[in-house]
Amino acid sequence: MSEQSHPLLFATNNSNKALEVNHILGNAFKVLSLKDAGIEIDIAEPHATLEANAREKSMTIYTLKNIDCFSEDTGLEVEALGGAPGVKSARFAGEPSNTEANIKKLLGELQNKENRKAQFRTVISLVQKGVEKQFEGVCKGHITLQPIGENGFGYDPVFIPEGSTKTFAEMNTAEKNEYSHRRKAVEKLVDYLKKMAS
Ligand code: IMP
């Protein structure tokens, strides 16, 4: 991979997401989080789709700072719940966003349900010179009966990806990235950036 001459700004306040993305990119691209770039902003996620929310975040930062950047929005889509919580994953149990309450509600709604199939879906929105492009990553798996593991964030303790017997919260960052929705989307982003640079 070639070095980017300018660091790419990742429009996120989530340090876990920044850690995962930096782990994937290694030395290939330098990525700065909003905090690294000294930008303090809480961007709303008011839309009905991951695509629109991801675009909102990257376009907000681009418009404000006039620098190329990318953002991402992720949702947990549970088959037996018709794709919920989906775009509402962060606030599934209401405002303010509370991970424990979200997990409790999810496990409650899946009680006595045999079908525990779910997927994480990430949409990355890249804005360069005002032009937007999106990249998607999906990780299929299932929801456990109870939370297991201490690592990661969000719904990690209740999600086991296909091909593993461990929840994301039992994995370290490298292991999670072997399966992860975010890794798949980031790789598509990197392929695109490499093509543009060549
Ligand atoms: P957002 O993309 O920050 O809006 O995240 C939506 C919700 O999904 C939040 O509750 C996050 O904690 C959760 N979430 C996002 N990515 C992951 C992940 O990789 N693992 C587990 N939960 C996640």
Side-chain angles (χ1 to χ4, degrees):
M1 275 183 226
S2 62
E3 285 278 335
Q4 276 246 134
S5 47
H6 301 294
L8 201 54
L9 181 65
F10 182 13
T12 186
N13 289 312
N14 183 326
S15 55
N16 286 289
K17 288 183 179 179
L19 178 81
E20 285 182 16
V21 168
N22 269 309
H23 200 276
I24 297 160
L25 296 177
N27 294 324
F29 290 93
K30 175 99 183 105
V31 169
L32 298 180
S33 67
L34 290 176
K35 194 174 169 208
D36 295 331
I39 300 170
E40 255 188 65
I41 184 170
D42 197 13
I43 308 166
E45 297 179 346
H47 303 292
T49 62
L50 298 176
E51 284 79 3
N53 280 338
R55 185 178 305 119
E56 177 84 27
K57 291 186 240 188
S58 56
M59 279 297 187
T60 299
I61 295 300
Y62 182 83
T63 307
L64 210 65
K65 299 284 170 183
N66 197 25
I67 31 179
D68 293 351
C69 65
F70 71 96
S71 70
E72 68 96 87
D73 203 32
T74 296
L76 176 67
E77 301 172 338
V78 180
E79 198 172 274
L81 304 181
V87 71
K88 300 207 172 354
S89 293
R91 288 160 194 84
F92 190 36
E95 297 277 1
S97 177
N98 180 309
T99 298
E100 270 178 34
N102 287 341
I103 287 179
K104 201 169 162 202
K105 179 169 159 100
L106 175 67
L107 295 182
E109 295 208 357
L110 284 180
Q111 230 175 13
N112 306 323
K113 290 234 171 23
E114 246 174 58
N115 179 2
R116 303 186 75 88
K117 282 187 201 162
Q119 64 178 31
F120 276 112
R121 193 163 71 86
T122 289
V123 176
I124 287 181
S125 164
L126 170 73
V127 181
Q128 289 177 304
K129 297 189 170 61
V131 178
E132 196 224 12
K133 191 154 175 63
Q134 296 201 336
F135 308 89
E136 185 192 67
V138 171
C139 176
K140 291 183 184 295
H142 71 271
I143 303 299
T144 54
L145 294 171
Q146 60 194 29
I148 311 166
E150 305 294 327
N151 300 335
F153 67 103
Y155 296 92
D156 279 350
V158 292
F159 184 83
I160 297 183
E162 267 179 14
S164 178
T165 52
K166 293 200 267 185
T167 67
F168 272 160
E170 293 179 284
M171 300 180 185
N172 61 32
T173 304
E175 285 177 293
K176 179 177 174 183
N177 278 341
E178 275 179 39
Y179 301 94
S180 126
H181 42 296
R182 190 163 295 104
R183 194 263 301 160
K184 290 173 185 165
V186 168
E187 277 183 354
K188 289 182 189 170
L189 167 72
V190 169
D191 282 351
Y192 176 79
L193 291 173
K194 277 164 62 186
K195 266 189 212 132
M196 298 298 282
S198 65

